[in-house]
Amino acid sequence: FFLDGPQAVCSRAAGAGSLGFADSGTWVGRVASAQRLFGVMAGVAKTEFAGHCMEVLKLVQAWFPGLAVVDSERDLFWTTELELNAQEGWTVLEDHLSVAHVRRQTFRPLCETGGPRQEPYWDDYGPSPFMSGGAPSFTLHFAGPAKGNFGKRCNFAYAATFIQKNARWFLRDLDER
C-alpha cells in the first residue's frame, strides 16, 4: 500500500515504536537478518520513491510496525547525544545544562575520574548504572557534538582508570579517514 504524504507516514509510524523517530545509528543482528531488513528497505524505497535513509526507515516503521526492535532501555547501547546545534555543540563547556543533563543520567556522573568530592564513573563492579534503575549499557556511543565533549572525557577517564603507564594501546576514531 502507498502512504499519502509525510503526515500519513508520521502518524502511522508514531505508534509503531518507542521513539518518535527512526534511529539509524546502530544495527545489530545476524547477517541474514540484516540482509532481509535491507531488502525490505530497498523494496519500500523503490515503491514509495524514497531517496533518503531516514525517510526509508520511517516508511519501514510505518509499513511493518515492530519489525526493527529499538533498545529503548539502553541495555546494549547508550548514545550520549547532546541535542545542540553544530555551532555550539562542538565547543560546549562542562557547566552547560545539556552536558549536566546527560551526566546526571547515571548514579555516578558519566566518565568522571573521581576526586575529593566526586565518585568515579567506573568502580570495582563496572560502570555506573542508570538513575532509572537499569544496569549500565554495554556500549557508549558518542554521536555528533558529544564526541567533542563526552567522547574526549570518556577516553581520558577510561585511559586514566584502566591503562597502565607503559601499556601500548591502539585507538581508532571511526570518523577519521
Side-chain angles (χ1 to χ4, degrees), residues 99-157:
V99 174
H101 171 72
V102 172
R103 292 191 72 210
R104 283 194 309 262
Q105 291 184 38
T106 55
F107 280 105
R108 298 182 304 274
L110 176 64
C111 296
E112 182 61 51
T113 54
R117 289 179 269 156
Q118 194 75 291
E119 289 185 85
Y121 176 68
W122 288 279
D123 65 10
D124 293 339
Y125 303 101
S128 178
F130 287 107
M131 292 294 279
S132 61
S137 292
F138 183 74
T139 301
L140 290 173
H141 173 227
F142 307 107
K147 287 181 210 138
N149 186 292
F150 293 119
K152 288 179 184 175
R153 164 184 281 284
C154 289
N155 281 334
F156 173 78

Side-chain angles (χ1 to χ4, degrees), residues 8-171:
V9 171
C10 289
S11 65
R12 173 91 187 248
S18 59
L19 298 175
F21 57 90
D23 182 4
S24 65
T26 306
W27 295 91
V28 179
R30 296 179 181 270
V31 172
S33 299
Q35 288 174 331
R36 280 193 291 276
L37 178 59
F38 291 130
V40 168
M41 289 178 67
V44 168
K46 184 168 178 65
T47 304
E48 293 280 1
F49 303 104
H52 188 273
C53 63
M54 295 305 290
E55 180 184 14
V56 175
L57 278 172
K58 190 51 95 175
L59 287 164
V60 167
Q61 189 180 25
W63 277 34
F64 307 103
L67 178 66
V69 177
V70 176
D71 181 29
S72 60
E73 297 301 316
R74 303 179 293 193
D75 290 331
L76 294 175
F77 297 95
W78 179 26
T79 299
T80 59
E81 187 171 9
L82 290 173
E83 296 182 14
L84 300 169
N85 63 47
Q87 298 288 16
E88 181 186 17
W90 290 98
T91 58
V92 68
L93 300 175
E94 289 285 321
D95 59 353
H96 192 281
L97 289 175
S98 293
V99 174
H101 171 72
V102 172
R103 292 191 72 210
R104 283 194 309 262
Q105 291 184 38
T106 55
F107 280 105
R108 298 182 304 274
L110 176 64
C111 296
E112 182 61 51
T113 54
R117 289 179 269 156
Q118 194 75 291
E119 289 185 85
Y121 176 68
W122 288 279
D123 65 10
D124 293 339
Y125 303 101
S128 178
F130 287 107
M131 292 294 279
S132 61
S137 292
F138 183 74
T139 301
L140 290 173
H141 173 227
F142 307 107
K147 287 181 210 138
N149 186 292
F150 293 119
K152 288 179 184 175
R153 164 184 281 284
C154 289
N155 281 334
F156 173 78
Y158 185 87
T161 304
F162 296 107
I163 298 177
Q164 302 299 320
K165 187 175 182 180
N166 296 323
R168 292 174 33 166
W169 284 72
F170 176 73
L171 177 64

